[in-house]
Structures are given as structure tokens and as C-alpha cells.
Amino acid sequence: MSELLTKLHAFWSALTTYWISLPFAWQLTLKSLAGIVAIMLPLILTVAYLTLAERRIIGFMQVRMGPNRVGPWGLLQPFADVLKLVFKEVILPTNANRFLFITAPVISISTAFAAWAVIPFSNGVMLSNANAGLLYILALTSFGVYGIILSGWASNSKYAFLGAMRSAAQMVSYEIAMGFALVGVLMASQSLNLNDIVLAQNGGFSHWFWLPLLPLFVIYFISGVAETNRAPFDVAEGESEIVAGFHVEYSGTAFAAFFLAEYANMILISALAATLFWGGWLSPVQGWHFLEDTPLAFLVHTSFIWFAVKTCVFLYAFLWFRATFPRYRYDQIMRLGWKVFIPITILWLVLEGVAIVLKIPPWFA
Amino acid sequence: MLQNYVPILLFLICGFLFGGVLVGAGFVASALLGNRRADSEKQSPYECGFEPFTDSRMKFDVRYYLVAILFIIFDLEIAFLFPWAVSLHRIGLFGFLAMLLFLAILVVGFIYEWKKGALEWE
């Protein structure tokens, strides 16, 4: 037994000396790759269980059971779905532009995943401590539109084309309102780095940006729902009008890629809402010292748990919206985006600017 | 710190690779595991079971184009606002008034397009 331990120890020290001897570029690359795997695998699992949670929760809201046959409480359902999708034939329509048809889901999924590089999971725990984190996220969400419009155009099908046009126009419209809301966060936090934005909200529940920026938070989250083409803004795939919209010609794993991207984007929007407006990994009961000596002490400290809990609350809101609201008409969606959200955000930015210049307490002092 | 952007680049590459592997594996797996019978009906564009009437590269509403142009203007504006918003605490009243002027010019344009009916969808 002790022989084994010494062998292990020798192996470990050999490994560390090898690690130190590596050039810096290699260390950085290997560390980043490990981090990417550590983000992507849990993300994919979360997407898998989000699909199950969606079906179960909406099922209960509509007084049905939802999928409950595969495994206990249906817990193996996502894996059954994956298996089914892998067995399905990937059809290439004859008129399709083959290269773009295959590239489009790849673009969708890579942008939905890569945005996670700058999200802080706990204090300083992020893949890249880039100082322009929020700008990067805005760039990637803009880039995500390409996946949708390319898929619709490359399919060479009328439904796909209509869905892609609708979806692209809707996404860019709401991106403006979302961008203005993010500018409001920047004004309050004075930083583009997401970790610094969370730190700027330090001090407990009432110091988080949701309170001084309440209209911007509401607009941000509604725009987020519209950005991800979720109900009630899901005209891009409205099954009663254009069947499935931009991905009507996709099947098998190519369809799964779009599905994965949509759900990964939902989680991203929820995580961003938690980070930008609800204090990210900060604890809502920060400074409640009487809890320190109880078993509940972990609640007071900043931790990944709080980030996860807040993200889940927003994800639940996504599902709740879908079960509650009827689908908007397209002209109503565009009117809401352009004629309601943009004027309100511009007005609030000006008000916030005045508050910052005059250093109005308690938030802008 | 440029090295902070290396993981981002790697993540983008990994994302593309993952997507490529997922879609590529689908082709391989479905060819090996399932049936693959090509027929012209199945591979024609979906149109509710009809034979496609016309080419799907059809004319579309000019308003989509208009929205795209308006988006470029406003998105650029947001890109201008980003550095201003981060440094507003330091540039003080003068910086605030300068951006207010810029916003006012844009709001005039916004009111113009509104009155012109560029935002109407019937």
C-alpha cells in the first residue's frame, strides 16, 4: 500500500516538474482546453435536463404528467431523445446550398457556447478574464443571427426562408433594446468585465442593479426572450403558420444542433440576467452575521450556488412564459421592440446619466 | 492583456469543432445505423405535401431590409455608447452633455423614421 503511495507521489512530482518545464503558451492552451471542457460538458447536461424540465413543468402547469416513462420520473428521457436523433437520417434537400446548409447549425451552436467564456461562475472563476467581456457577448449574440438567416436561405424552402426573415428582423430589433439596457449596466458598474460588474453590486440585495435599473432589467429580460425566439415571441417557428420556420428542412443531429443552440442561449440569457442585474454569485443575505455560527453560514458567503439558483429562477421564468402567454402577432412584436422599448431605454439612460453626473445617492454616490 | 483572449479564441474554435463533429457524426451514424433511401419527393423542399409551386428565392418585403438598415445605425450608436458609459464617472458634465447632443441628433432621426412610417407593420 505504501509502495503504491510512493509510486503515485513520484508520478505526481514528475508530472508537476513536466508542467513547469512546459513553455507558457502550452500551459495557457492546456489550461484553457481543460476549462472549456469543464464548461461545455455541464452546459450540455444542463441543456439536456432543461428540455426534460420544460416538458415536465409545462406538463404540470397544464395538469398533465409530461414524459415520465424512461427511467424514474423520466430522468433518462433526454438520453433517449439523443439516441433517437442520432438514428434519424440527415436529409440534404436537393435544392439546398449544401455548404451553407451544413455550416449554419455549426455557427449557431458555436456562438451559443463560446459566449460562456467570459461568464463568472464564482468570484474570479471564469475562463477568460477579458476586460471587454460584455462587448464580446454583444458581438457573439449578433453573430448568432447568421446561423438562423443562413439556414433559412440555404434550405431553399419557402417556410424556412420566411421563418429566417422574421427571425432575423426580430432578433436585430430586440438586440438594440438589449444593447441600450446593457449600456445602462455599464454606466452603473464602470466596467465591461463581468466579474467587475458583479463586484460593483457588492453590498446585499438592495445594492444589486435590478433596483436602480428596474426598467432596463425588465426590458433586458423580455428582449432576451425575444432574442432566443422563445414563446410568446416564437413567430419564427410558429407551427400554426410556417410549420417550424428556419429549421423546417433539418433533421437528425443537424436539427439537434439548432435545438442545443436555442437552449444554450436560453441558459446564457438567464445567466447574464443574474450576473448583470441580480448580483451574479453574490449572496442576497450578505452581511447577516447572525447566520455565521449556524449551519446556514454557507448562505451568507458568495458562491457558485447563488449564481446557479438565480440562473434557474430565470430559466423557470422562460418556461412559465411559454405555458402562460399566447403568441404575439408579428406587427405587435415589432411595435413593442421599436416603439416601446427603445424610447424607454433611451430615456432611462439619460436619467441615469443625470443621476451619475449629480452623484445622487444611494446608488450613484 | 492580450493573453486573456487566447481562451476565447480557443473556445470559439472548440465550439466550431463540436458543432462540426455533431453534424458530421449525424451523417455517419445515420448512414451506418439507419436507413438511407433517397427519393426525389423526400428531398424536395417541404411545402405541405405539395410539389413546390415556384422557386423559393422569391421577393420579400422591403421592410425587412429597412429594419436591417435601422439596426446598423442603432447598433453603431450602442457601440459608441459603450466606452462613454464606462468612463462617464471620469469625464463628468462635459462628457455627459456631449453624448446628450449625440443622442438628441439620433432621436431626431428616430422621430423622423417613426413619422415616415418605417416602423409600421400591417
Side-chain angles (χ1 to χ4, degrees), chain A residues 128 131 153 156 249 339, chain B residues 4-5 46 56-57 120-121:
Chain A
S128 155
N131 46 14
W153 193 81
N156 209 340
E249 297 289 347
K339 295 188 176 177
Chain B
N4 278 331
Y5 290 86
Y46 174 77
S56 36
R57 300 271 185 260
E120 302 298 329
W121 290 75

Side-chain angles (χ1 to χ4, degrees), chain A residues 24 28-29 32-33 36 40 44 86-90 92-95 106 109-110 113-114 117-118 127-132 135-136 138 153 156-159 161 165-166 169 172-173 176 179-180 183 186-187 190 192 243 248-249 253 257 260 330-331 334 338-339 343 350 353-354 356-357, chain B residues 1 3-8 10-12 14-16 18-20 22-23 26-27 29-30 33-37 42-48 53-58 60 64 67 70-71 74-75 77-78 81-82 84-86 88-89 92-93 96 100 103 107 110 113-114 119-122:
Chain A
F24 177 70
L28 187 64
T29 312
S32 311
L33 285 177
I36 289 167
M40 267 171 79
I44 293 170
V86 169
F87 276 94
K88 290 285 175 188
E89 179 181 353
V90 182
L92 269 179
T94 37
N95 292 337
V106 178
I109 203 165
S110 58
F113 278 8
V118 292
L127 183 66
S128 155
N129 196 13
N131 46 14
L135 195 63
Y136 167 72
L138 203 70
W153 193 81
N156 209 340
S157 157
K158 282 166 200 147
Y159 292 107
F161 181 70
M165 294 306 291
R166 285 180 176 193
V172 297
S173 302
I176 297 169
F180 276 127
V183 169
L186 293 183
M187 287 164 76
Q190 307 174 53
L192 277 160
V243 205
V248 67
E249 297 289 347
T253 50
L260 214 59
Y330 197 67
D331 63 312
M334 296 309 261
W338 285 96
K339 295 188 176 177
V350 173
V354 171
I356 287 174
V357 169
Chain B
M1 294 280 267
Q3 76 195 39
N4 278 331
Y5 290 86
V6 173
I8 291 182
L10 281 173
F11 207 150
L12 276 171
C14 285
F16 269 100
F18 175 74
L22 184 70
V23 176
F27 274 100
S30 68
L33 299 172
N35 284 325
R36 182 176 266 285
R37 291 201 196 86
K42 183 163 86 179
Q43 300 198 311
S44 68
Y46 174 77
E47 215 166 303
C48 294
F53 285 122
T54 51
D55 190 47
S56 36
R57 300 271 185 260
M58 53 189 182
F60 61 88
Y64 290 112
V67 165
L70 293 176
F71 165 69
F74 277 89
D75 215 34
E77 183 189 351
I78 291 168
L81 280 171
F82 264 48
W84 168 81
V86 174
L88 181 62
H89 286 256
L93 187 65
F96 176 66
L100 212 58
L103 273 180
V107 166
F110 186 60
E113 80 188 42
W114 190 322
L119 306 176
E120 302 298 329
W121 290 75
E122 277 312 313

